[in-house]
Amino acid sequence: MSGRELWADGRLRAAWAARDWPSIIRRYRALAGISQQRFGELVGMDQGYVSRLERGHARVTSEDVVARFKNGLHVPIELGGVAPRRQLPWDPPAELRERLAHAHTTGRADLRAADWIGRVLAEHRRAEDEVGGRDLWPVVRSQLDSVTQLIPHAAGETADRLMLLAAEHAHWMSWVAWHEGQRGAALAWIDLGHGWAVDGGHTDMASWAQRVRAYYSLDYGDPVRALRTAEAARYAGPRPLSPAAESVAVHQAAMAAAACAERDRARRLADEAHELALQVPDEGERPGWLYWLDPARARLQLADAAYACHAWADAADAFREALPGLEGFPRDHAYYRARLEDAQRRA
């Protein structure tokens, strides 16, 4: 049965109406014939946290978690679920690359408009952290069109600046597409973003695009490729990386090394990434797309690496220390809280 067909079951509907989370999880899993691990994948949660919910050892108090259940389990509209979403055009159109080619003509680009688009994109990044990016997709796609229409009439530093803005939009669209399961489109967008960053001479963004590629490879189950790509991200161009850009590249290499069972190397890389991140504690000193890399997030990255290396006690200590810094990010807070609880259980 499909996810929607399962909701014809009276016991499941009654459990949802009562917000009886242990019964919801047990009944849904029984009807669908799936494991706690698979259930967690549907709702974007760690298996350990799903287990605690099913046994009644944890409670659902966040609206973000409720929304994950509604979306992941396809709760019907009449039970308070969400309406089916229309299909979005995920893949980048072919003419985008041509439109972004440097023109030989000179003109005057509207940099005030570009600055405004950049500020709006920064707000969308923060909104995506809280509510997800699918609903913002058409808006950001329209903004990218506005940027690409300015580039043929620009030259020199102005054109390079617009290339960076286009690359930032492409990265955002790639990230959202990946988390919506649109893997082919995500790879196409990140490749476009990387090409535009290289064309514009933006080493930090070129490195970030490769780091994202490494994350995708690791998420897809290919740690060897992820490690190779993350190492390449550290040496992405003729100019040295900023400390923040180098930090995230090194951290991604640490996560890939851990997945390759190179745990000593992973811990060394994780410590190095943490030290680099602490060099730029102020948001204004970091690239715009790394606005989130404050000391609390740097500590969480260290915790993630310890978790990947199965150093459960170290991971739990680091998660516990850093979690208060995630106030205002309910989705991330719920995710890392679940990892903390799982690390504590394993320790």
Side-chain angles (χ1 to χ4, degrees), residues 202-326:
H202 300 288
T203 304
D204 278 359
M205 174 51 76
S207 171
W208 174 246
Q210 287 181 291
R211 178 267 177 198
V212 172
R213 261 280 196 174
Y215 170 86
Y216 292 165
S217 293
L218 186 59
D219 191 43
Y220 197 62
D222 189 348
V224 174
R225 179 178 301 222
L227 181 56
R228 188 163 57 239
T229 307
E231 289 174 335
R234 195 171 186 180
Y235 307 102
R239 291 193 294 272
L241 298 178
S242 69
E246 187 173 6
S247 173
V248 292
V250 174
H251 169 72
Q252 192 59 51
M255 297 298 288
C260 292
E262 298 183 30
R263 293 178 182 172
D264 289 341
R265 179 183 182 186
R267 296 300 293 272
R268 288 196 302 270
L269 288 169
D271 288 339
E272 185 179 356
H274 186 246
E275 292 173 5
L276 285 164
L278 294 183
Q279 292 180 25
V280 280
D282 297 328
E283 182 178 337
E285 298 175 348
R286 301 189 294 270
W289 58 92
L290 297 180
Y291 69 91
W292 48 269
L293 190 61
D294 57 20
R297 295 282 185 160
R299 185 67 172 158
L300 283 171
Q301 289 197 150
L302 201 59
D304 263 339
Y307 187 96
C309 291
H310 300 176
W312 308 118
D314 290 346
D317 288 343
F319 282 132
R320 192 181 303 108
E321 179 183 327
L323 266 175
L326 288 184

Side-chain angles (χ1 to χ4, degrees), residues 73-317:
L73 304 183
H74 301 293
V75 177
I77 299 174
E78 67 270 18
L79 294 180
V82 294
R85 290 172 170 177
R86 61 186 177 86
Q87 182 61 37
L88 294 172
W90 292 104
D91 294 295
E95 70 270 14
L96 265 184
R97 188 181 294 278
E98 297 178 7
R99 193 190 303 164
L100 274 170
H102 280 289
H104 293 292
T105 58
T106 59
R108 178 172 296 179
D110 187 349
L111 288 183
R112 287 181 299 177
D115 287 341
W116 178 81
I117 292 170
R119 289 194 297 271
V120 171
L121 179 61
E123 293 302 318
H124 290 340
R125 288 194 193 103
R126 287 162 170 78
E128 196 275 331
D129 282 339
E130 298 181 26
V131 302
R134 182 181 179 119
D135 292 337
L136 295 171
W137 180 275
V139 178
V140 178
R141 179 67 183 80
S142 176
Q143 288 173 193
L144 176 57
D145 281 340
S146 298
V147 173
T148 60
Q149 288 166 7
L150 293 173
I151 291 177
H153 305 291
E157 293 183 3
T158 299
D160 291 341
R161 185 173 164 190
L162 291 169
M163 284 280 190
L164 175 61
L165 189 54
E168 290 185 63
H169 278 73
H171 156 255
W172 186 96
M173 302 187 80
S174 173
W175 189 254
V176 173
W178 184 265
H179 289 286
E180 288 285 339
Q182 302 290 331
R183 288 173 172 159
L187 293 172
W189 281 114
I190 202 63
D191 284 349
L192 283 175
H194 180 262
W196 297 338
V198 171
D199 288 348
H202 300 288
T203 304
D204 278 359
M205 174 51 76
S207 171
W208 174 246
Q210 287 181 291
R211 178 267 177 198
V212 172
R213 261 280 196 174
Y215 170 86
Y216 292 165
S217 293
L218 186 59
D219 191 43
Y220 197 62
D222 189 348
V224 174
R225 179 178 301 222
L227 181 56
R228 188 163 57 239
T229 307
E231 289 174 335
R234 195 171 186 180
Y235 307 102
R239 291 193 294 272
L241 298 178
S242 69
E246 187 173 6
S247 173
V248 292
V250 174
H251 169 72
Q252 192 59 51
M255 297 298 288
C260 292
E262 298 183 30
R263 293 178 182 172
D264 289 341
R265 179 183 182 186
R267 296 300 293 272
R268 288 196 302 270
L269 288 169
D271 288 339
E272 185 179 356
H274 186 246
E275 292 173 5
L276 285 164
L278 294 183
Q279 292 180 25
V280 280
D282 297 328
E283 182 178 337
E285 298 175 348
R286 301 189 294 270
W289 58 92
L290 297 180
Y291 69 91
W292 48 269
L293 190 61
D294 57 20
R297 295 282 185 160
R299 185 67 172 158
L300 283 171
Q301 289 197 150
L302 201 59
D304 263 339
Y307 187 96
C309 291
H310 300 176
W312 308 118
D314 290 346
D317 288 343

Side-chain angles (χ1 to χ4, degrees), residues 12 20-30 36 39 49-51 53-54 69:
L12 181 59
D20 182 349
W21 301 106
S23 296
I24 291 169
I25 297 172
R26 281 195 298 269
R27 188 62 179 164
Y28 191 96
R29 290 205 307 110
Q36 289 181 344
F39 186 94
Y49 188 49
V50 172
S51 176
L53 285 174
E54 186 169 339
F69 273 80

